[in-house]
Amino acid sequence: MAEWFVDIARRHGGFDVTLIDLKEVDLPLLTEPVHPRLQQYTHEKTKAWSATVASHDAFVFVTPEYNYSSPPALVNALDHVYVEWNYKAAGFVSYGGVSGGTRSVQMTKQTLGALKMVPLAEAVHVPFFAQLMEAGKFKGGETQQKAATAMLDELVRWTNALKALRTPR
Ligand SMILES: Cc1cc2nc3c(=O)[nH]c(=O)nc-3n(C[C@H](O)[C@H](O)[C@H](O)COP(=O)(O)O)c2cc1C
């Protein structure tokens, strides 16, 4: 599903798009000794993740739902750094069964608030996503494409508006 969205985002043209796969980032469960706010990272993987998050102005989280909630890998990745997320807007592409991953998104939005991020109202939610899989790849239709474009348009607006806050003081 991430590949499907990245293709749309690249064609949208509002951003230079990077696909970040948390499986490849491979963060361990958080074991940094001090709060991420202090940025005193001790692990190389945290330092690399800090640099990755810092180098992007906006995010779209492509996420499933685990037990009506956010998947632990996403929460762990969010928890690892703090300042690097601040004042950045974020959209969601979520998928699942009947819920379309919406409960996961609602739970994650609470964490984004703590990180001083701005979660967008516009989103792509895909219920019963398995029905839209073809040869192991997600094939979204016009409805999902329109939703993705609407979200990206808003993401551009919020990312521009938040630029002043992201400027180091
Ligand atoms: C531990 C676990 C809990 C799940 N809970 C939900 C759920 O609450 N709602 C839902 O729609 N799907 C749920 N699913 C199904 C996932 O949507 C499905 O397995 C999906 O493929 C997970 O995406 P991933 O393979 O990218 O992690 C759950 C799957 C797992 C493994």
Side-chain angles (χ1 to χ4, degrees):
M1 193 162 306
E3 283 163 9
W4 167 83
F5 178 73
V6 162
D7 184 46
I8 291 176
R10 292 209 167 112
R11 281 190 279 122
H12 178 270
F15 298 94
D16 290 332
V17 182
T18 315
L19 174 58
I20 302 168
D21 185 346
L22 288 183
K23 196 173 178 188
E24 285 168 14
V25 175
D26 195 28
L27 288 167
L29 276 180
L30 183 61
T31 53
E32 289 290 348
V34 296
H35 193 286
R37 189 182 293 127
L38 302 173
Q39 296 184 296
Q40 292 169 11
Y41 306 127
T42 59
H43 304 306
E44 289 310 313
K45 282 192 174 173
T46 314
K47 290 175 191 171
W49 182 233
S50 161
T52 298
V53 177
S55 66
H56 292 83
D57 290 333
F59 295 87
V60 174
F61 299 109
V62 181
T63 182
E65 175 174 293
Y66 277 11
N67 294 319
Y68 297 6
S69 187
S70 323
L74 176 56
V75 176
N76 189 50
L78 288 167
D79 286 347
H80 259 80
V81 297
Y82 175 78
V83 178
E84 296 84 340
W85 295 117
N86 287 181
Y87 308 118
K88 295 179 182 176
F92 287 91
V93 175
S94 72
Y95 56 97
V98 68
S99 71
T102 49
R103 293 170 293 210
S104 165
V105 170
Q106 289 307 110
M107 297 291 280
T108 309
K109 279 182 177 177
Q110 185 148 337
T111 302
L112 299 196
L115 297 170
K116 299 191 191 182
M117 297 183 82
V118 177
L120 303 186
E122 290 74 11
V124 183
H125 301 300
V126 185
F128 304 114
F129 72 97
Q131 294 171 4
L132 293 172
M133 299 296 285
E134 279 181 20
K137 285 189 182 284
F138 176 72
K139 197 168 182 317
E142 200 185 332
T143 306
Q144 291 83 23
Q145 282 180 28
K146 274 188 180 168
T149 302
M151 178 178 65
L152 286 160
D153 288 345
E154 279 294 295
L155 195 60
V156 169
R157 296 182 76 189
W158 277 102
T159 302
N160 288 337
L162 292 168
K163 201 171 184 175
L165 290 175
R166 286 196 304 278
T167 306
R169 281 160 291 172

